[in-house]
Amino acid sequence: MLDHQFAAAKEQKEAASHASLHDALTDLPNRALFNDRLEHGLAHAIRHDWALAVMFLDLNQFKTINDALGHDVGDRVLQLVAQRLKEITRTDDTISRYGGDEFLYLLMEIGDREQLARIAQNIVSTIELPFEIEQTLCLHVRISLGIAIYPEDGTTANALIKNADDAMYWAKQSGLSFAFTG
C-alpha cells in the first residue's frame, strides 16, 4: 500500500515537473526550459570555445489560418509543425515553442554559416511540405527564420534571441525563407 502511494506521488511530481517545463499543446520545451538550456549551452560554449546558434522561426500568415479555419485547425498545424521539428532535431539541440506561432531552435557545437544555411533550408523544406489536416483539407505553411550565432551576434541568451528575432523579421520583410543577423 505504501509503495503504491509512493509510486503515485512520484508519478504526480514527475508529471507536474514536465508540465511546468513543456508546452501543453505541442509537448515541446517551453520558454523557461529553452532559456535554461540556452544558458547551459552558453556556459559550455564559453568553456569549450564552441559556437552555437539560435534560430527564431515564425509561421507566416498563421493568423489567417486561425481566422479562416478556426483555432482547432490552427492548433493542429502547430502540433504538426512541432512533430516535424522533433523529427529533424539533433540529439543535443533543443526546439521550443516560444509562444503563439513562434518557435526557437538551439543548435549546439555548430560549424560555419554554410552548415547553418543547410540546416535552415532543411527546416524550411520540412515545414513547408503540405499538411493534411483532414481528408479534405491540405494546407501549405510558409515560415520565416532568423539566425544568430554565438559569439559574433551576441554573448548572452537575451541578445541571441533578440538578434535571431530581428533576423527573422528581416527575412519576412525581404521575402526570404531565412536570414542571418547583420
Side-chain angles (χ1 to χ4, degrees):
M1 172 87 157
L2 193 56
D3 287 341
H4 178 68
Q5 288 175 336
F6 178 73
K10 183 179 177 186
E11 190 175 306
Q12 284 180 329
K13 181 180 177 187
E14 289 172 359
S17 176
H18 183 85
S20 71
L21 296 173
H22 290 80
D23 176 64
L25 180 65
T26 63
D27 201 40
L28 290 174
N30 64 16
R31 186 182 296 218
L33 182 53
F34 181 86
N35 287 339
D36 182 66
R37 289 188 180 170
L38 179 52
E39 291 290 348
H40 185 74
L42 284 168
H44 279 282
I46 291 166
R47 185 172 335 146
H48 300 289
D49 197 29
W50 295 337
L52 62 79
V54 172
M55 294 183 175
F56 201 109
L57 292 76
D58 180 74
L59 306 182
N60 297 340
Q61 306 292 320
F62 185 73
K63 184 179 180 330
T64 304
I65 292 171
N66 273 337
D67 291 348
L69 302 172
H71 289 278
D72 289 344
V73 171
D75 286 352
R76 186 67 184 131
V77 167
L78 293 172
Q79 290 168 334
L80 292 170
V81 166
Q83 180 182 335
R84 288 183 184 179
L85 290 171
K86 286 178 193 177
E87 291 170 0
I88 61 172
T89 299
R90 301 179 311 177
T91 305
D92 291 340
D93 297 339
T94 300
I95 185 70
S96 166
R97 181 167 176 223
Y98 200 61
D101 64 333
E102 298 173 332
F103 297 83
L104 284 178
Y105 202 132
L106 170 62
L107 294 104
M108 301 294 295
E109 291 187 71
I110 59 159
D112 58 16
R113 283 180 178 248
E114 285 182 32
Q115 177 199 24
L116 284 171
R118 284 191 303 275
I119 291 169
Q121 188 55 57
N122 184 44
I123 292 168
V124 169
S125 298
T126 299
I127 300 304
E128 292 185 354
L129 290 171
F131 289 101
E132 286 190 33
I133 305 299
E134 300 165 1
Q135 290 179 335
T136 59
L137 182 59
C138 185
L139 294 176
H140 293 270
V141 176
R142 302 199 87 53
I143 68 168
S144 297
L145 187 150
I147 306 166
I149 303 168
Y150 166 85
E152 60 203 64
D153 299 325
T155 57
T156 67
N158 287 338
L160 288 167
I161 292 169
K162 181 196 177 306
N163 289 334
D165 186 25
D166 290 347
M168 181 275 299
Y169 276 107
W170 188 84
K172 187 177 288 231
Q173 291 173 345
S174 302
L176 302 171
S177 296
F178 68 91
F180 289 91
T181 299

